[in-house]
Amino acid sequence: MPASPATRPFRSSVVYQIYPKSFRDSTGNGVGDLRGVIEKVPYIASLGVDHVWFNPFFPSPGRDNGYDISDYRAIDPAMGTMEDFDELVAALAEKGIGVILDMVLNHTSTAHEWFQRALAGDPVYQDYYILRPAKEDGSLPTNWVSKFGGPAWERFGDTDHYYLHLFDRTQADLNWHNPAVRAQAAGIVNFWRERGVRGFRFDVINLIGKDEELRDAPPGTDDRAMYTDGPLVHDYLRELAAASFGADEAGITVGEMSSTTIEACVGYSRPENHELSMVFSFHHLKVDYDQGRKWTDVPADLPALKRILSDWALGMQEGGGWNALFWNNHDQPRAVNRFGDPGRYRAESATMLATAVHLLRGTPYVYMGEEIGMTDPAYTSIEDYVDVEARNAYAELLAEGRTPQEAFRIVHRKARDNSRTPMAWDASATAGFTTGTPWLRPTGQEAVNVEREEREGSILPYYRKLISLRHELPLIAEGAYAPWEQDNPDVLAYTRTHEGDRLLVLCNLRGTDSEVTLPEGLETAEVLIANHADADAWVAAHRAVRPRPSALPLRPYEAIALLERAEPAA
Ligand code: ISL
């Protein structure tokens, strides 16, 4: 079978993320599948992207929508067959697009054969998991909590031991201290490499380096510090790379880093360390968390957002690391709802947000539907939500004494299902996603769908242009980053410089008029891309103002990128 194509270097690449369960259903059972994706390859190729990252489509009980894997070397029958997979890889390869598979190697489903054998008493497989007795006083082995709510320990069968699950109780954490587990992980990656895959995303991979001795978080401290970014993560990643993907010159790898630090991420992604190509971090998506707590409803702190984006861009640049750049994924509500205005300024805010990350130093990721400006669903009841995390959070909010209305309002703002609604292909009742009943209810497709966006929209062409600019301009892929007007509370601004070329990116984060000072120079700068049609005239008019430097007013959610070339075009 054809291997994934040797695409351009990851620094000048753009990745499209597909949540297969929600992309396109080819059978009418209401659940997306691989043949559905094959149907849409022409659309994916039309975006100009270099890789597609697929969320897991391996056999799974589906308690966490495929992040609870019961077989790493097969395709979930509900999603298709291995032949479908090979055909999909080939169809994408023909368009020059590589495949990135999601490797969930921190934990398995408790339905996985390894866990089942462990439960049946096989000591070899018991050592695959993290099993501990209760403390002497009978309490749980540690005071850690699951990221999906409740304690992180569950009774191991009818024994007096408990197994660790940092996520759902059906997602048992693997014991990476065991060399056999590490060998299994490399074997899984190699299985897919042998089928031509050259891209891998590693789920919560910075959680694999837990200490041998697990300790309580001291009272009042965050238990995540007890198991996140342990020094062993680096050793294990290097070992995994050497035993599998490290041999792929044109490969691309990305680690999902939960609650991490710049320092750790530099380590994970510096090429000299031979770990990963790049990292996902999430601090910029916690600026609408009240005191670090997700299930709260506060407005986004935009100055904090600016600071975090800039700290990460600078810190990773100084350390020689590389960021994955993104606003949206399958775990996040839609960024247009969080940081923009999905009603009055949907197109402006969607394109402003796109500009902000696509021109940064790093590799941009576009989550399906983002490129047409899809928004959070207009759900009105908790019954519309399917996700285990949302359901648990709702119950916990009620238990804390919130009213059902308050609890729903909070879940509605933060739920992961907000981005998991079916891809809107057309305005029909099922959004062109399925001929059956969608597993998650689409809303808003009458106004926002691919068909309409192709016909008359401004967001899709804007994304296509941003993607092609990264391919064309080494300045965007390689240029040095520096923040501009860091104290401006309204405008996200930065420069990129490369071999004398200079790019100034200006993004008004507000739905009101703002202004920003222009740096010296830029006399010959041209508008590279802007989300208001008359940006050229706008900039020219303000450049004419004397005395300089003048402030440039920006309209609601306006984005302008000005390019000054070392050698102005004749
Ligand atoms: O701790 C977090 C961020 O600092 C969380 O967002 C965490 O990183 C996230 O929940 C991990 O997500 C990934 O692993 C989960 C799965 O449910 C998600 O869909 C996946 O993206 C467990 O496999």
Side-chain angles (χ1 to χ4, degrees), residues 169-203:
R169 63 182 168 71
T170 65
Q171 293 167 300
D173 280 58
L174 282 164
N175 172 24
W176 276 70
H177 289 281
N178 181 349
V181 167
R182 305 204 296 276
Q184 288 278 12
I188 292 164
V189 174
N190 286 332
F191 174 86
W192 294 103
R193 286 178 65 234
E194 279 157 25
R195 299 201 85 85
V197 176
R198 292 291 175 270
F200 297 96
R201 178 249 188 204
F202 295 97
D203 190 60

Side-chain angles (χ1 to χ4, degrees), residues 122-282:
D122 187 336
V124 169
Y125 290 97
Q126 287 181 347
D127 197 29
Y128 272 41
Y129 294 93
I130 302 180
L131 306 181
R132 295 288 185 276
K135 286 191 193 130
E136 267 172 23
D137 65 1
S139 61
L140 294 175
T142 67
N143 59 0
W144 303 355
V145 291
S146 153
K147 290 172 188 281
F148 291 166
W153 295 95
E154 184 78 14
R155 181 72 71 121
F156 183 62
D158 54 8
T159 73
D160 58 359
H161 276 57
Y162 292 81
Y163 66 91
L164 178 69
H165 64 90
L166 292 178
F167 293 89
D168 185 60
R169 63 182 168 71
T170 65
Q171 293 167 300
D173 280 58
L174 282 164
N175 172 24
W176 276 70
H177 289 281
N178 181 349
V181 167
R182 305 204 296 276
Q184 288 278 12
I188 292 164
V189 174
N190 286 332
F191 174 86
W192 294 103
R193 286 178 65 234
E194 279 157 25
R195 299 201 85 85
V197 176
R198 292 291 175 270
F200 297 96
R201 178 249 188 204
F202 295 97
D203 190 60
V204 290
I205 202 68
N206 63 332
L207 307 184
I208 61 174
K210 294 152 196 121
D211 293 335
E212 196 108 43
E213 188 198 341
L214 305 179
R215 288 165 299 130
D216 273 346
T221 67
D222 189 336
D223 63 338
R224 289 176 293 190
M226 307 309 292
Y227 56 75
T228 305
D229 287 328
L232 284 169
V233 180
H234 296 286
D235 296 344
Y236 293 157
L237 277 176
R238 268 196 291 272
E239 183 182 320
L240 181 64
S244 61
F245 60 82
D248 300 333
E249 287 281 320
I252 177 170
T253 53
V254 52
E256 187 203 28
M257 304 303 173
S258 172
S259 303
T260 189
T261 63
I262 295 175
E263 188 194 358
C265 286
V266 163
Y268 299 135
S269 62
R270 290 175 79 219
E272 300 84 333
N273 287 8
H274 301 288
E275 297 181 33
L276 300 169
S277 316
M278 68 187 87
V279 292
F280 285 117
S281 67
F282 296 91

Side-chain angles (χ1 to χ4, degrees), residues 17 19 53 55-56 63-69 102-107 147-148 166-168 171 201-207 224 227-228 256-260 280-283 286 289 294 329-332 387-389 416 420:
Q17 182 192 347
Y19 198 67
W53 154 29
N55 293 99
R63 172 84 185 166
D64 186 21
N65 277 354
Y67 281 90
D68 47 332
I69 296 176
D102 211 320
M103 299 282 103
V104 187
L105 302 173
N106 173 69
H107 44 265
K147 290 172 188 281
F148 291 166
L166 292 178
F167 293 89
D168 185 60
Q171 293 167 300
R201 178 249 188 204
F202 295 97
D203 190 60
V204 290
I205 202 68
N206 63 332
L207 307 184
R224 289 176 293 190
Y227 56 75
T228 305
E256 187 203 28
M257 304 303 173
S258 172
S259 303
T260 189
F280 285 117
S281 67
F282 296 91
H283 297 280
K286 297 184 178 179
Y289 286 18
K294 170 169 175 170
N329 70 21
H330 64 292
D331 291 334
Q332 303 290 332
D387 185 20
V388 55
E389 190 202 35
R416 304 191 297 181
R420 298 178 180 181

Side-chain angles (χ1 to χ4, degrees), residues 526-543 552 554-555 558-562:
E526 287 169 9
V527 174
L528 179 68
I529 186 166
N531 66 353
H532 285 63
D534 59 349
D536 283 299
W538 182 255
V539 173
H542 290 279
R543 201 187 269 144
L552 179 70
L554 293 176
R555 293 160 286 190
E558 181 153 25
I560 301 178
L562 289 171

